[in-house]
Structures are given as C-alpha cells and as structure tokens.
Amino acid sequence: MGYTNAGKSSMLNAVTDAGVEVEDRLFVTLDPRTRQKQLPGGETVLFTDTVGFISNLPHELVEAFMSTLKSVQLADLLVHVVDGSSDHAEEQIAAVRDVLIEIGADEVPELLVFNKADVPGSRAKDLAKLYEGSVWVSAKTGENVEAMVAVIGERLRSRDRILTLQLPLDRGDLLAAAHREGDVIDTSVNEEGVLIHVVLDSVGAARFRQWRVPA
Ligand SMILES: Nc1nc2c(ncn2[C@@H]2O[C@H](COP(=O)(O)OP(=O)(O)O)[C@@H](O)[C@H]2O)c(=O)[nH]1
Ligand SMILES: [Mg+2]
C-alpha cells in the first residue's frame, strides 16, 4: 500500500510477475489484486495491491476503498511503497500514516520501501538510509527487488504469532515463563497437563519449540 502513483501496482508486478494493470493516473487499481508468491525460504505469501491512499478520499471511492481497508487491517505486514523520486516523499508518508490511523490499522507492522531509485536524482537510496529498517528498490528495473523480498520474509518470520503449547503439569516454571515472555490468551487443563494459547515473537517461539502442538 502507499500513496497514489508511488508504484504499488508496478511493485506487485516486479515481485510476482502478475499482469496487473499499470497506468499513470489516479486510482487505476479499484479492486485489490492478490497474487501468490513463494519466498526463497519456501513459505507462500499473498501480496495484495491496494488503491492509493490520499488525503480526503472522494465519496465514490469509499466502497472500493472498503476492500482495501480490510486487506490492510488483516495484513501480517504492510509494504508501504513510497515514491523516492518525489520531493514530497515525507509528506506522502505522513498522509498515508494518517489514513492508517483513521482506519485503525496503525498497529499493523510496516516495511517502508523507497521506490523509483532508477530516476535520475531520486532520493530513494538516501531516504532508505535515513529511515531505520527501510529498503530502496526500483520496481521498473527490478533493482534490489530480491533484497526487498528477503527483508519481507525476515519481517514475516519474526512477527508475533499465536502458538498452542502443551506443558506438563509439574512444569509451573514453563507456564510462568510463557506469561513473562508472551501474552497468554487462555489455559486449560487436560490429561497431559496444561494446554495454553500464547502470543510469542520468533525468539519466544523458538524457546518453546519442544512444547508446541501443531495448530
Ligand atoms: N522510473 C520509475 N517509474 C516507476 C517505478 N515504479 C513505478 N513507476 C511509474 O510510476 C507510475 C505509477 O505506477 P503505479 O504502479 O501505477 O503506481 P500506484 O498508483 O502506486 O499503483 C507509472 O507510470 C509507473 O510506470 C520505478 O521504479 N521507476
Ligand atoms: Mg495501482
């Protein structure tokens, strides 16, 4: 997602070789398009294109925006595409983030991607240095797209997730650790001990690997 004309549809094409229409005008992508891609790590990821985020969304576009809104709220990661060749990149980032707050999606993890690095005089690479954890790419030439996909994979792998753990009844220390390191959603006692659902990050998930029950 990102500001209009940032290169979102081009990016989806560059990442997935999808035949999504690319045009240099406002709101060409009225329907979110979703494409599947296998990451180098083997996971299958769904990439969804969205309509452009601009301030003061026109009324007739609100309906089209609703499906985008859902995709954005439910996403595991927002790839925030920014036109790095624009003099207004910073304002556009702020405008997009304002919309995220408006639709209650400002807590969804975000990866800032400064696009159009190929444009002469583009600030994409400088901005990527300035914004911690961001990356630069050119959706047009494909430069650095693979590196961006690798970062997307890392970010997805490190995100918090809900795990089911089966803990032995005599291991109160493990239950305490789960409470300390994660957010325990519920606990129930069964024949094998205590079954819990807990939100953990990748470090916590690795620590409790032995006790995991496949979801
Ligand atoms: N030079 C250059 N142009 C790009 C790049 N990515 C997108 N564009 C152009 O920017 C315009 C808007 O791209 P589009 O993908 O439709 O943007 P969207 O509105 O965010 O979906 C089109 O003319 C694209 O060809 C890029 O990396 N470099
Ligand atoms: Mg588009």
Side-chain angles (χ1 to χ4, degrees), residues 133-146:
S134 68
V135 294
W136 61 268
V137 293
S138 167
K140 186 177 183 178
T141 68
E143 202 187 354
N144 224 34
V145 166
E146 252 175 67

Side-chain angles (χ1 to χ4, degrees), residues 8-10 21 28-29 49-50:
K8 301 179 294 298
S9 301
S10 307
E21 186 188 5
V28 67
T29 315
D49 191 12
T50 72

